[in-house]
């Protein structure tokens, strides 16, 4: 998610035309087409980096300086279109609803749950190694508040480390919803039967995760090594999820539910780090415009901390949705999150987080 620092050096040969050589050197540093510049190593294609002599080492995970970063994905230059609205408008969250989000864990009840949780733990370990993430186990278990672990250098996370983790996680998190929605769509076509409303919710989840990724990419850009890891992780994860969903959709939804539990924990710790003053650069940093529009962030609540509150609430919603879908009969039960209920006064699943249940709704509560 970050640009690599490039080294450039220009050597001038002694010449009778010294003035001409110096002129060519000046042109090359201003972006001219001298032969010496054309033979230099190519810069990353997605941004423009000003070449300057440096002795700093190359970094595959490095914060991209604002002066060196061009618009990562600029809006298309269309003379007749002003802007394109989101395909799925985001539900409104209140500040109190987001503050009420908690870290929670659903206990395993059968072999399917155990397999799902074991796979999440393996994936979590690999992701932690890849992104350099460390966390205090006592904090993860809820035995100690994250503020109390802030001064422990073993678990120190900087703004750069957090962004590395966010981009890596969100680049993978959008896969399960798309795989599930795609397979259920094909199943509906093949069997010529209705899907009972599951497809839209799964695709909307994938879309929401992608918006998380696009938001963080507005803040920093991956380097080549990060891109390579994302490519490999997505290839393995997509195919693994595809085959697993064909075998046991229920286990896959439980897997995603447990995965979202980890996501809620990650964003909770990042928010705690901001509150404890460990991430000073994010204290008053304003969220990117794409995030302000997507979440309809109100005036005065558009900081990086507010952004992470919205993202954490989304992950908590995905946690609830997938744990609930994992409790249902996969082929016959309707999607409770898009259904209309006979008694609207009784709490029930919805698209928002007003009645959110961290460990999901049981089948007998909604059918």
């Amino acid at each position: 998610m970050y640009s690599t620092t490039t080294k450039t050096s220009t050597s001038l040969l002694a010449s009778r035309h010294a003035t001409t050589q110096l002129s060519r050197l000046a042109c090359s540093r201003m972006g001219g087409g001298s032969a010496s510049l054309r033979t230099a190593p190519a810069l990353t294609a997605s941004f423009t980096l000003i070449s300057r002599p440096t002795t700093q080492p190359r970094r595959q995970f490095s914060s991209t300086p604002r002066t060196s970063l061009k618009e990562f994905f600029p809006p298309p230059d269309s003379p007749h279109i002003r802007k394109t609205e989101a395909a799925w408008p985001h539900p409104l969250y209140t500040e109190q609803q987001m503050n009420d989000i908690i870290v929670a864990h659903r206990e395993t009840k059968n072999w399917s749950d155990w397999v799902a949780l074991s796979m999440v733990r393996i994936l979590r370990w690999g992701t932690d190694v890849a992104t350099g993430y460390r966390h205090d186990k006592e904090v993860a278990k809820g035995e100690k508040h994250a503020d109390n672990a802030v001064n422990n250098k073993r678990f120190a996370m900087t703004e750069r480390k957090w962004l590395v983790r966010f981009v890596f996680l969100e680049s993978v998190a959008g896969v399960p919803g798309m795989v599930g929605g795609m397979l259920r769509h094909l199943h509906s076509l093949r069997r010529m039967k209705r899907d009972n409303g599951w497809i839209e919710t799964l695709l909307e989840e994938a879309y929401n995760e992608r918006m998380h990724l696009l938001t963080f990419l507005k803040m920093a850009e991956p380097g080549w090594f990060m891109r390579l890891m994302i490519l490999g992780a997505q290839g393995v994860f997509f195919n693994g999820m595809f085959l697993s969903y064909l075998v046991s959709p229920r286990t896959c939804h439980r897997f995603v539910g447990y995965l979202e539990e980890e996501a809620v924990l990650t964003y909770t710790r990042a928010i705690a780090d901001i509150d404890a003053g460990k991430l000073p650069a994010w204290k008053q940093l304003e969220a990117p415009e794409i995030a302000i529009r997507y979440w309809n962030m109100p005036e005065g609540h558009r900081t990086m901390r507010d952004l992470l509150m919205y993202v954490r609430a989304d992950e908590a919603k995905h946690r609830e949705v997938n744990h609930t879908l994992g409790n249902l009969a996969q082929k016959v039960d309707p999607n409770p999150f898009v259904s209309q209920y006979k008694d609207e006064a009784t709490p029930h699943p919805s698209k928002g987080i007003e009645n959110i249940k961290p460990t999901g709704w049981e089948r007998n509560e909604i059918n």
Side-chain angles (χ1 to χ4, degrees):
M1 63 174 66
Y2 306 78
S3 62
T4 55
T5 306
T6 57
K7 294 182 181 178
T8 58
S9 61
T10 307
S11 59
L12 298 177
L13 300 176
S15 172
R16 289 175 299 176
H17 305 288
T19 303
T20 304
Q21 293 294 336
L22 290 174
S23 298
R24 291 179 180 175
L25 174 61
C27 291
S28 69
R29 290 185 176 176
M30 296 176 63
S34 72
S36 62
L37 184 62
R38 286 197 300 268
T39 58
L43 300 178
T44 304
S46 56
F47 65 92
T48 302
L49 187 62
I50 300 173
S51 299
R52 56 174 60 89
T54 177
T55 58
Q56 296 179 355
R58 298 174 69 93
R59 295 182 300 166
Q60 279 67 52
F61 296 109
S62 60
S63 299
T64 305
R66 181 69 60 179
T67 56
S68 303
L69 181 64
K70 191 170 67 174
E71 184 74 8
F72 191 36
F73 42 92
D77 185 14
S78 178
H80 303 296
I81 297 177
R82 183 166 61 90
K83 68 176 182 178
T84 303
E85 296 292 343
W88 282 284
H90 195 279
L92 295 177
Y93 296 159
T94 67
E95 185 176 2
Q96 186 59 49
Q97 289 173 347
M98 292 188 290
N99 286 331
D100 290 340
I101 298 299
I102 61 173
V103 174
H105 173 63
R106 180 186 176 92
E107 296 296 333
T108 57
K109 297 182 179 180
N110 50 48
W111 72 269
S112 178
D113 293 353
W114 184 85
V115 169
L117 181 59
S118 299
M119 293 304 298
V120 167
R121 287 174 175 170
I122 294 174
L123 182 62
R124 169 65 185 266
W125 174 82
T127 304
D128 288 353
V129 172
T131 61
Y133 176 78
R134 297 290 300 276
H135 73 284
D136 193 320
K137 292 183 179 180
E138 293 182 359
V139 173
K141 295 177 180 178
E143 299 172 357
K144 181 170 63 176
H145 193 272
D147 291 357
N148 299 327
V150 164
N151 295 323
N152 189 337
K153 294 184 178 180
R154 285 186 61 203
F155 309 109
M157 290 288 288
T158 63
E159 293 90 346
R160 170 182 159 271
K161 286 183 178 180
W162 277 121
L163 280 176
V164 169
R165 184 170 181 81
F166 294 162
V167 169
F168 189 82
L169 288 178
E170 300 298 348
S171 67
V172 175
V175 172
M178 181 59 66
V179 171
M182 175 187 69
L183 288 176
R184 295 189 73 92
H185 172 73
L186 296 176
H187 183 269
S188 177
L189 296 177
R190 185 170 63 253
R191 296 179 64 86
M192 300 181 187
K193 291 183 178 180
R194 294 188 59 183
D195 184 66
N196 296 322
W198 289 47
I199 296 173
E200 180 181 348
T201 293
L202 294 175
L203 295 181
E204 185 175 5
E205 177 183 310
Y207 178 86
N208 176 255
E209 298 286 12
R210 189 179 65 91
M211 290 302 296
H212 294 175
L213 175 64
L214 296 182
T215 296
F216 292 129
L217 286 177
K218 280 292 186 179
M219 302 175 63
E221 180 184 354
W224 66 266
F225 185 62
M226 184 64 168
R227 292 173 184 270
L228 185 62
M229 286 206 310
I230 290 174
L231 179 64
Q234 189 179 91
V236 173
F237 191 50
F238 177 88
N239 287 287
M241 180 61 66
F242 179 87
L243 296 175
S244 299
Y245 205 91
L246 289 175
V247 176
S248 178
R250 181 187 179 281
T251 303
C252 288
H253 287 298
R254 186 71 71 217
F255 168 85
V256 178
Y258 286 133
L259 193 64
E260 299 296 355
E261 290 180 2
E262 297 292 341
V264 172
L265 174 61
T266 291
Y267 287 109
T268 297
R269 288 213 61 238
I271 292 169
D273 280 358
I274 294 177
D275 292 341
K278 187 180 177 183
L279 307 174
W282 284 0
K283 191 67 176 179
Q284 298 299 326
L285 179 65
E286 184 169 330
E289 183 63 27
I290 188 175
I292 295 173
R293 292 200 311 266
Y294 178 64
W295 280 284
N296 295 307
M297 301 172 73
E299 220 34 81
H301 295 276
R302 297 177 175 178
T303 65
M304 183 64 182
R305 184 186 188 280
D306 296 315
L307 170 61
L308 295 185
M309 292 289 286
Y310 278 100
V311 174
R312 183 182 69 166
D314 286 344
E315 306 295 5
K317 186 62 184 180
H318 301 328
R319 175 183 64 186
E320 176 200 33
V321 168
N322 282 279
H323 275 320
T324 300
L325 296 182
N327 294 335
L328 303 181
Q330 303 294 301
K331 295 183 179 180
V332 297
D333 284 345
N335 178 3
F337 295 95
V338 295
S339 299
Q340 293 184 355
Y341 291 81
K342 296 177 181 179
D343 183 6
E344 291 292 337
T346 302
H348 57 77
S350 67
K351 279 196 169 186
I353 58 175
E354 58 273 8
N355 298 321
I356 194 168
K357 294 192 72 170
T359 57
W361 298 77
E362 298 298 331
R363 190 171 185 235
N364 58 10
E365 294 180 301
I366 51 182
N367 283 342

